[in-house]
Amino acid sequence: MENELKEKIIISLKNLNIVKNDNVYIASDLRPFALIRISKKRKLKIIIESIMDVIGNKGSIFSPSASMNLCNTNIPFDVSNTPSYQMGSLSEYIRQIEGSVRSMHPFWSVSGIGSNSHILKNVSKHSYGFETPWSRFLNIGVKQINFGIHPSRAVTLIHHIETIMGVPYRYNKEFIHPIIYNGNITMEKFYMSVFYKNSDAKKRILLNEHFFEELQKSKKLKQENIDNMKIWCFEMNDFHSIVTKMFVKDIYTYLENEPTKKPYLV
């Protein structure tokens, strides 16, 4: 059964145009795999082994390891030991793999393994923007793979695009948060893009579906099925190219409506 699952994953990845030396970012909800009679830990291992078999030792795997539960708390962040929060079992598994590298941000970090995982070192203290993991992902042509969750519901790259496009309904908020270094705690400044408190800006009810409709029209979104599990794949640079043009046409394209309360107006 394990070999059969691994073979199905490998075939699907190849059909999604994942190839040797690729760098991939994984978002996942593995509940559709729940009925497979293999232990949870073995399933996670099989998924990672399958990806590595396809991309080889010069490829890389990245995944979210955010810990947003620390935001507005005094709980220290330890880049080596703080668990991810609500990012899924596969993301947490990748974070804990020996040799995994994690970016330094107490709220929005990313973990990675493989030849290019080093790009997560010495990143900006901003959650999104230049010299964050997201800009570096674009630089090396990362492909995003979504297991079991449609990318419209798991595409953090959209917030990087909001940041570089300078959307007016968000601003970069400064947080001073405790960080653990070698057993010692220091207070450091970090930044994250947030909504203005007194604005009525609201995300679209359908979230990012309209972005992926455009990606689909351009034949840049691929999909495969493994039993009950759907898998999607797209190139981050394709998403970036299409969506930035949509923001040029309408800077409020991420929102349900243009806000009527604009505290950012001078």
Side-chain angles (χ1 to χ4, degrees):
M1 185 174 288
E2 292 188 8
N3 289 337
E4 181 182 356
L5 176 60
K6 187 171 184 178
E7 183 179 357
K8 286 180 177 179
I9 295 172
I10 288 174
I11 291 171
S12 292
L13 291 172
K14 289 182 177 179
N15 288 342
L16 291 170
N17 200 32
I18 304 300
V19 298
K20 188 176 181 180
N21 302 334
D22 265 350
N23 300 288
V24 298
Y25 176 87
I26 309 297
S28 62
D29 179 349
L30 300 183
R31 283 178 291 181
F33 272 173
L35 297 178
I36 297 177
R37 290 179 168 272
I38 303 173
S39 71
K40 182 177 179 179
K41 189 172 183 180
R42 284 296 303 162
K43 288 176 194 172
L44 299 174
K45 191 170 189 292
I46 288 168
I47 292 170
I48 297 304
E49 287 178 347
S50 302
I51 297 171
M52 290 305 300
D53 280 358
V54 175
I55 65 175
N57 58 13
K58 291 187 178 180
S60 309
I61 301 174
F62 301 97
S63 66
S65 50
S67 43
M68 287 293 293
N69 56 312
L70 300 190
C71 191
N72 294 319
T73 74
N74 291 318
I75 301 171
F77 174 74
D78 184 332
V79 72
S80 299
N81 298 307
T82 297
S84 60
Y85 180 71
Q86 297 183 343
M87 293 293 106
S89 57
L90 185 58
S91 293
E92 183 62 5
Y93 181 82
I94 292 169
R95 183 190 71 81
Q96 295 181 81
I97 291 176
E98 185 176 356
S100 177
V101 178
R102 187 182 195 179
S103 61
M104 175 55 76
H105 197 289
F107 314 134
W108 239 115
S109 62
V110 175
S111 293
I113 59 174
S115 65
N116 279 315
S117 60
H118 62 88
I119 69 169
L120 298 178
K121 298 179 180 179
N122 303 314
V123 295
S124 167
K125 289 192 173 184
H126 290 257
S127 52
Y128 317 111
F130 294 106
E131 293 305 314
T132 65
W134 310 102
S135 71
R136 294 180 180 184
F137 287 164
L138 293 170
N139 289 342
I140 65 170
V142 168
K143 297 176 181 178
Q144 179 162 329
I145 305 172
N146 284 55
F147 285 87
I149 182 169
H150 192 273
S152 66
R153 306 190 69 82
V155 58
T156 307
L157 183 61
I158 188 62
H159 302 310
H160 171 74
I161 295 173
E162 283 183 299
T163 299
I164 62 173
M165 293 302 293
V167 295
Y169 50 85
R170 289 187 184 269
Y171 71 99
N172 283 317
K173 183 176 180 179
E174 182 176 274
F175 295 84
I176 301 176
H177 198 83
I179 306 295
I180 296 177
Y181 284 113
N182 299 320
N184 299 314
I185 296 178
T186 63
M187 302 298 292
E188 295 197 12
K189 298 181 181 71
F190 292 89
Y191 304 88
M192 190 162 62
S193 176
V194 299
F195 281 116
Y196 280 93
K197 186 175 181 179
N198 297 322
S199 172
D200 58 350
K202 292 182 180 179
K203 302 176 184 178
R204 285 189 183 227
I205 295 172
L206 298 180
L207 293 176
N208 304 295
E209 288 187 12
H210 61 306
F211 298 134
F212 285 95
E213 287 172 2
E214 292 301 315
L215 214 63
Q216 187 81 56
K217 288 178 186 176
S218 300
K219 298 182 179 180
K220 301 294 185 181
L221 179 65
K222 300 178 177 63
Q223 180 184 329
E224 281 288 307
N225 295 327
I226 301 176
D227 299 330
N228 294 326
M229 172 75 77
K230 292 182 179 180
I231 308 174
W232 294 268
C233 180
F234 62 94
E235 295 192 21
M236 285 190 171
N237 277 311
D238 286 336
F239 183 81
H240 177 271
S241 176
I242 288 170
V243 174
T244 52
K245 291 182 176 114
M246 294 174 72
F247 273 98
V248 169
K249 290 180 180 178
D250 177 10
I251 198 65
Y252 296 108
T253 186
Y254 178 74
L255 304 180
E256 188 67 23
N257 296 293
E258 180 175 341
T260 58
K261 297 178 182 178
K262 300 179 177 181
Y264 44 85
L265 280 177
V266 177

